[in-house]
Amino acid sequence: MLYFKAPSTDHPALFRDLLRTNRVHWIAEEPPAELVRDKMMECHFRFRHQMALVPCVLTLNQDGSVWVTLVKPARALTPGQVSCWK
């Protein structure tokens, strides 16, 4: 894996509005019924404890992974982070 240093903390390369998860481990239950039924679901996303919730759309893939499309790009999304949806 290659890492690059951005020239500033607000450089456009640090922001993403789309990410793909590995297979999701649902804590409270199986995937929400709406997500299973429609393969898509609107909700809110957070990947840092103090981060504000961001509106997003989840798209369920056949392998159990999920595409997360954020309404507003988030800064510094990096592999290995835990995220949550509400």
Side-chain angles (χ1 to χ4, degrees):
M1 184 177 293
L2 294 174
Y3 294 94
F4 298 96
K5 182 178 176 185
S8 65
T9 60
D10 61 348
H11 190 275
L14 295 174
F15 292 83
R16 294 284 178 264
D17 62 357
L18 179 67
L19 67 108
R20 182 179 174 149
T21 70
N22 290 328
R23 183 172 177 79
V24 175
H25 301 280
W26 301 98
I27 295 173
E29 57 187 65
E30 292 301 312
E34 177 184 355
L35 184 59
V36 172
R37 181 185 66 241
D38 301 336
K39 304 300 183 218
M40 294 182 94
M41 182 178 89
E42 292 183 8
C43 61
H44 290 83
F45 167 85
R46 163 184 309 154
F47 77 97
R48 285 192 197 106
H49 176 68
Q50 297 293 327
M51 179 183 170
L53 288 168
V54 177
C56 69
V57 175
L58 302 182
T59 304
L60 183 62
N61 298 306
Q62 288 287 337
D63 65 358
S65 65
V66 172
W67 282 105
V68 181
T69 305
L70 304 175
V71 171
K72 178 183 175 188
R75 184 182 168 279
L77 295 173
T78 55
Q81 292 179 320
V82 174
S83 59
C84 66
W85 301 291
K86 285 188 158 196

